[in-house]
Amino acid sequence: MEKQSCKKGIDSTFVSALYYSINKAIYDVIGEGGKVLGRRSSYEMIKMLKDLGYLKENMSNEEIEDLFVNVFGLSEGLGIHEDDKMVVFDVIKPTLDLFLKRLMEENLKPYVCPFMYLLSEIYGYSNGCRLMLSDVIPESEEMVKLVFKKI
C-alpha cells in the first residue's frame, strides 16, 4: 500500500481533545490496566504505518526525527540521546501540548500517547530492542523528556 498524502491538516486542539478523552475514559473504566491497552494500540498503529509505507526496518535516528517532526507534525523538534542502557527523547514544542498539560493537571497517566509509545515502538522496531518507560520529565512548557530503559 502506498503512502497517502493529506492535503488538509487536522487542528491540534481537536487531536488533543481526542487523545485526552481516550485516556480519561481508559483511566475511568480500566484504571492501571490501561498500560496494556496503550502498548497494544501502539502496536496496531505501528502495523498500520508499516502497511502504509511510513516505517521501515533499521531507520536512523534522523529518519525517526524527520517522521515525527516533519511528516506527522507531532512537535517542532525531537532529540534522541542513547547509550547502551537508556534512550531519552527530547520532545521540543509538542503540538499536542494541550493534551499533555491537561493530563498533568489531572495527574493522569497517558496510556495512549503518540509521543511515548509511538516513539518507543518506532525506535525499538528500527533498532531491534524494546523500551520500557522510566520517566517523563517536563523540562518546560516547550520541552518534555521521555526517558526509556532498554530491555
Side-chain angles (χ1 to χ4, degrees), residues 50-100:
K50 277 194 263 184
D51 290 347
L52 293 172
Y54 287 97
L55 302 179
K56 61 183 183 189
E57 290 186 46
N58 304 316
M59 290 175 69
S60 69
N61 286 354
E62 291 78 20
E63 289 172 311
I64 294 170
E65 291 169 16
D66 181 62
L67 183 69
F68 192 80
V69 174
N70 299 318
V71 176
F72 296 151
L74 290 170
S75 69
E76 287 188 23
L78 177 69
I80 302 174
H81 314 283
E82 58 193 320
D83 60 29
D84 57 337
K85 295 180 183 178
M86 307 289 284
V87 178
V88 177
F89 299 101
D90 293 332
V91 181
I92 302 160
K93 294 186 180 180
T95 52
L96 300 180
D97 57 338
L98 177 62
F99 155 68
L100 295 171

Side-chain angles (χ1 to χ4, degrees), residues 80-147:
I80 302 174
H81 314 283
E82 58 193 320
D83 60 29
D84 57 337
K85 295 180 183 178
M86 307 289 284
V87 178
V88 177
F89 299 101
D90 293 332
V91 181
I92 302 160
K93 294 186 180 180
T95 52
L96 300 180
D97 57 338
L98 177 62
F99 155 68
L100 295 171
K101 183 179 176 189
R102 191 72 178 259
L103 288 182
M104 285 183 201
E105 286 172 356
E106 295 185 28
N107 200 28
L108 297 174
K109 291 184 171 49
Y111 295 124
V112 177
C113 176
F115 303 108
M116 293 189 336
Y117 292 120
L118 184 58
L119 269 175
S120 68
E121 291 295 325
I122 290 173
Y123 180 92
Y125 175 71
S126 295
N127 290 279
C129 66
R130 292 195 39 97
L131 300 179
M132 181 176 78
L133 182 64
S134 175
D135 203 358
V136 176
I137 306 166
E139 292 280 309
S140 68
E141 287 195 17
E142 296 191 346
M143 187 171 85
V144 176
K145 283 188 178 289
L146 304 174
V147 182

